[in-house]
DNA sequence: TCCTAATTAAGAATTATTCCTATTTAGTAA
DNA sequence: TTACTAAATAGGAATAATTCTTAATTAGGA
């Protein structure tokens, strides 16, 4: 099921289905919380020791180009990846590296209406992402 | 006037006022549009050729720690800096590297009210930043 | 003016990423 | 099934960015 989805994703993007690409997709699916490049490298190398590191970099680049994954904007110096393409916002924990997805259609509507009414001079709005900074209650991860 | 402000900033943060730090602050003030580390290095080295590169890195790190500047989130792999600490959002150009500040109190109020009413489970909101993605009309920079 | 902890210069060391090229492989068509 | 070809990969060298180390210098206070 999951493997089939991967096949479909790759084929839709006119990418050949290779074991290396499957391995990177597997990593993206199994690593939660917006993995860093290092997280992904580690996972892939662990599970598929014969895959070259350069290939992982190249594969990620290809996926970003094709829109299969997105890069997450972050305050730290490391890049993170997001396997979910649907429109969503991010919750950033002040105390940890945790980043969670946040879906809220009501909020999206409100923002859309707001920016339809209130134009920004010389700027055409195409998309809006919220970075909601705060702290998670309870479990410290 | 500007120099005095720098002095005040540094002293308030319990940092010694050194020529190296003044030079980095000068760069941050003169370079518009959220300079990259490279922009800053280039500016400082050009105007003060005897300042070591390592010192520039260390100084920027110190400033971020003390809250004198902030890092800007970016999709690309490069970090950018923001000398403005006041609360504001960012306009990202899809077609160029341009990032502009965006101030809007009405928007801030609307968001504050929204998140006061609509709680996010297990999360305490402290701050909200918008990444407004789109294109600038007219001048291509 | 002197003292001391903080800061810096200089360049070596480390780390992450990109680049290069020969080899291999996925997909296609006969 | 086999053969073909463009695309993809392995492996490691090369590059680039950043951090680290240590001796020398300096800012700020007594």
């Amino acid at each position: 099921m999951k493997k089939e989805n991967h096949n479909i994703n790759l084929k839709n993007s006119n990418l050949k289905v290779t074991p290396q690409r499957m391995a990177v997709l597997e990593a993206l699916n199994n690593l939660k919380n917006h993995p860093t490049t290092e997280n992904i490298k580690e996972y892939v190398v662990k599970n598929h020791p014969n895959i070259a590191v350069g290939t992982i970099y190249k594969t990620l680049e290809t996926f970003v180009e094709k829109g299969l994954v997105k890069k997450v904007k972050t305050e730290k110096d490391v890049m993170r990846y997001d396997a979910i393409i649907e429109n969503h916002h991010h919750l950033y924990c002040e105390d940890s590296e945790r980043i969670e997805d946040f879906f809220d259609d009501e909020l999206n509507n409100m923002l859309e209406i707001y920016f339809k009414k209130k134009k920004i001079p010389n700027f055409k709005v195409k998309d809006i992402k919220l970075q909601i900074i705060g702290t998670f209650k309870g479990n410290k991860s």
Side-chain angles (χ1 to χ4, degrees), chain A residues 59-71:
Chain A
T59 302
L60 283 169
E61 193 188 306
T62 305
F63 287 175
V64 171
E65 267 172 25
K66 295 289 184 178
L68 292 179
V69 300
K70 293 220 184 224
K71 289 184 172 180

Side-chain angles (χ1 to χ4, degrees), chain A residues 109-120 125 128:
Chain A
N109 287 337
M110 182 179 80
L111 289 169
E112 193 181 335
I113 290 164
Y114 182 81
F115 281 105
K116 199 165 277 179
K117 190 184 67 187
K118 178 160 191 166
K119 302 286 187 188
I120 301 173
V125 176
I128 294 172

Side-chain angles (χ1 to χ4, degrees), chain A residues 9-100:
Chain A
N9 284 339
L10 291 174
K11 285 194 175 153
N12 282 348
S13 304
N14 286 319
L15 293 175
K16 287 185 180 176
V17 178
T18 67
Q20 292 82 357
R21 286 175 177 159
M22 299 296 278
V24 173
L25 284 176
E26 180 195 322
L28 287 165
N29 270 295
N30 287 352
L31 296 169
K32 305 298 179 194
N33 198 21
H34 306 83
T36 63
T37 309
E38 206 192 330
N39 296 149
I40 296 164
K41 271 190 297 183
E42 192 186 5
Y43 184 100
V44 172
V45 169
K46 193 174 183 180
N47 293 283
H48 310 267
N50 40 350
I51 292 180
V53 175
T55 301
I56 299 171
Y57 281 105
K58 191 135 182 295
T59 302
L60 283 169
E61 193 188 306
T62 305
F63 287 175
V64 171
E65 267 172 25
K66 295 289 184 178
L68 292 179
V69 300
K70 293 220 184 224
K71 289 184 172 180
V72 176
K73 293 166 202 275
T74 148
E75 248 160 20
K76 303 295 168 59
D77 353 30
V78 291
M79 196 48 54
R80 300 248 212 143
Y81 292 89
D82 191 350
I84 297 173
I85 296 304
E86 276 177 273
N87 191 48
H88 64 279
H89 306 285
H90 286 134
L91 306 177
Y92 288 80
C93 184
E94 273 189 335
D95 304 331
S96 72
E97 299 301 304
R98 198 168 157 192
I99 303 174
E100 294 285 337

